[in-house]
Amino acid sequence: MTRLLDRLDKVASPYLFIAPFFVIFGIFGLFPVGYTAWVSLHAWDISGAQGFVGLDNFVTLFGDPNFWNAIVNTLGMLILSTVPQLVIALILANALNQRMRGLVFYRLGVLAPIVTSVAAVGIVFSQIFDRDAGLVNGMLHLVGVPPIDWHADKWSSWIAISTMVSWRWIGYNALIYLAAMQAVPRDLYEAAEIDGATKARQFWAITVPMIRPAVLFTVIVSTIGGTQLFTEPLIFGQGGFAISGGSLRQFQTVSMYMFEKAFRDFDYGYGSAVAWMIFVLIMLLTLINFLLTRHWGGRA
Amino acid sequence: MRLRGRRAPLAIGVCALLVAATACGGADGSEEPGRTTLVVKTFSQFGYQDLYKQYESSHPGIKIKEENIGKLGDYTPKLQQWMASGSGAGDVVALEEGILIQFMARPDKFVNLLDHGASSLQGDFLEWKWKQGLTSDGAKLVGLGTDVGAQGMCYRTDLFAKAGLPTDRDQVGALWPTWDAYLATGQRFMTARTGASFFDSSGSVYLNMLMQLSDHTYYDTANNLVIDTNPAVKAAWDKTVQMIQAGLSGNIAAYSPQWNAGFKNGRFATIPCPSWMLGTIEKQSGPENAGRWDVAKVPGNGAVRGGSFLAVPTQSKHQREAAELVKFLTSPLGQMAAFKAVNNFPSSPKAIDEPAVRNFTNAYFNDAPVGKIFGDSVKALKPVYLGPDNNPVNDRVTNALTAIEQGKLSPEAAWANAVAEAKRVAG
C-alpha cells in the first residue's frame, strides 16, 4: 500500500504541481476562445442564440466597409506608434548604457510612464490635443498655425493616439534593450575602439546586432499590443458614442469595432466573428514579424 | 439557459481550485440569518438614498445596497453581461428607456411584476409610461416607471444679457414658440459675438425636434426601419443642418471633457435639458455659476428624452422582496422624493400634480419653477414609439451630424452615410 502511494506520488505529483496553471489557462484562456468561435457561428443577440448560421457572420464581415476601415486604422496606428517608439527606445537605452551621473534616477524615470494608469494618460493627452484649449494647438498658434481639430481627421487623430501609446511604452522597451546591452561583452567595444570605430559605428555594428533577440521580443510584444489597441482611442474619442472612434470612424480600431457590435448593437455573433479576426490578424502579424526579423538577423 | 448550464460546473471547479470562498461566495452568502440584503443596480443619479433609509426602518430585516455606475454607456454592457451570464445583476436593476425596449424581447429574464400585485398601480403612472414596460399581449409587466425626461431649454442669463436678449424666462420662452424662431434667436445671438456658441452640439437639438414631430422615429410600430421614409426624421435633420450652417453649434460633444468644462466657462448659451440633466448642469457649472443658468420652455410642444424603469431580474434570489421595493421606489411618494433629490421628473400623474412638485423651484437655476415647466412639458406630450435598435441608429445619425459640424461631409453625403449605417445596424 505504501509503495503504491509512493509510486503514485512520484508519477502524479509533478502533474499536480503544474496543474493550476493549465487548469486556469483552460478556463480563462482556451474556453473563451472556443466559446467565442461557437458564438460567431450563430445569430446571437440580446435574447440569446437565434440559430446556427454557419459562416454568415464572417461573410458579412468581409464585405463590411466599417470592418476594413477599422483594420486600416489599427495597422496605421500600429506602424505610427511602434516604429518611432522602438527607435527612440533604442537610442534612449544606448544613452542610459553610458557612464553618467544620476544613472539610477534616469533609469527609474523611463519606467514612470508605464506605472501611470492608462486612463489618466488618455485624459491628459486628450487635454493636450484639445481643439479649443489644448497645449499643442496653443503652441501651433504661437507660430501662426490655425488650430487643428485633432478628432476630425485620420492623420491628426492617429498622431495624437500614437503619441499617447509611444509615450507610455518607450521606457519599457528601453529597459529591455538596456538589459540586453549590459550583456554585450565589453571587449568587443574595446576592440572596435582600437580599430578606430566611432561611437555611432559601434552602436550599429555591435550593439544592435548583439541585442537582436531583445528587438525581436519587443517588436512582437508591441505588435500584439498595437493590434489590441482599445483604451487610448476610446478615451481620446470622448462623449456619448466614443466607441465609434470619431464621427466618421477616423480612429476606430478593430477591438473598438468588436465592442461596438457586441455591446452597443447587441450583435454578439457578429462581435465574436470580429474577435476571431483579431486573433487571426495577430497570428499573421506575429508570423510576418518573426520572418522579417529572422531575415534581417541572417544578413547581419 | 445553455450558458448557465455550462458555466455552473466550471464555476464550482474554480472555487474548489482556488479555495477562495470570498471570491466565489458572492454577496448573498455573507448576509446574517434573518436579514435580506437587496442589491439595487443604478446608473447616473436616481436620488434614492433617503428612500432606502425610510424603507429599511419600516421593513426590519431588509438591508438595501445600491451599486451605482456613473455613465449609462458603462452601465449598459455590464448589465448585458449580468443578464447573459445569469448572475451579478442583483435584485433590482434600473433600465433606461432604450435598454428596456431591447429587453422587451426577453420578458422571461425579468420577474412579471403583475404577479406581485402591480396591476392595481396602473393609475399611478402616465398611460404611455405604463405601456412601455408591458409586453404587447399585456400579460407581463417587465418594469415600473421611475422618471420621464421632460424637456426644458436651459440657457445662460449672463450670455443672453451680453447679446442684448431678454433674460426673464417667460420672455425667453416667448422668443421661441417654434424651432424656426429658436434658429432666428440663435442668429441674433451669434451677431453679438459673445465668444460663445448658441448650443453645444447638434445631437440633442436634433433629437428633441425628432421626438416632437411624429409618433414614431426610425422604426414603425411593426418594427420596420423607416429612417429614409419617415418625413419626421428628414424634417428634424434638415432643420438641424440649417442651424449648423448658421453657425449656431459649438461642435462640443456631449459628455466630453470639453463639454464639462464648457458649462463652467460659458462656451454655449443654451442646451435642451431633460429634467434629469439639471443635476449634471449644476454639478459641471459649479457653485461659481449659481444663478447664471435658467430654464425656459422648449421650442415646439413639449417632448421627452430618456427616462427609466426599475425591474427585478429572474436571477434575483429575493424576488418577492425586490418587487415590493420596486413598488415602493416607483410609488408617487418615491417619485416625488427622487425629484426633490436630483430633479428626476416623476412619471406618476399623482406626483406631478402634488403641490410639492408643481410648486418646486430650483435655487441653482435662478429659482426657476421647474416643477411647472416640466409638468407642462410632459402633459403636452404624445408618446413616441422607439424601435428595437433605436439607440444604435440614433448614434449613427448623431455622428453624421457631427461630421457636418467638423466640415468633413456635405449634408447630402452625411445623410446618405447615416441611412447606409442605419441599414447595416438594423439589417
Side-chain angles (χ1 to χ4, degrees), chain B residues 203-221:
Chain B
S204 57
V205 178
Y206 159 79
L207 188 58
N208 206 151
M209 282 191 269
L210 179 62
M211 294 299 278
Q212 289 176 348
L213 285 171
S214 175
D215 60 352
H216 64 288
T217 58
Y218 306 115
Y219 285 87
D220 63 15
T221 45

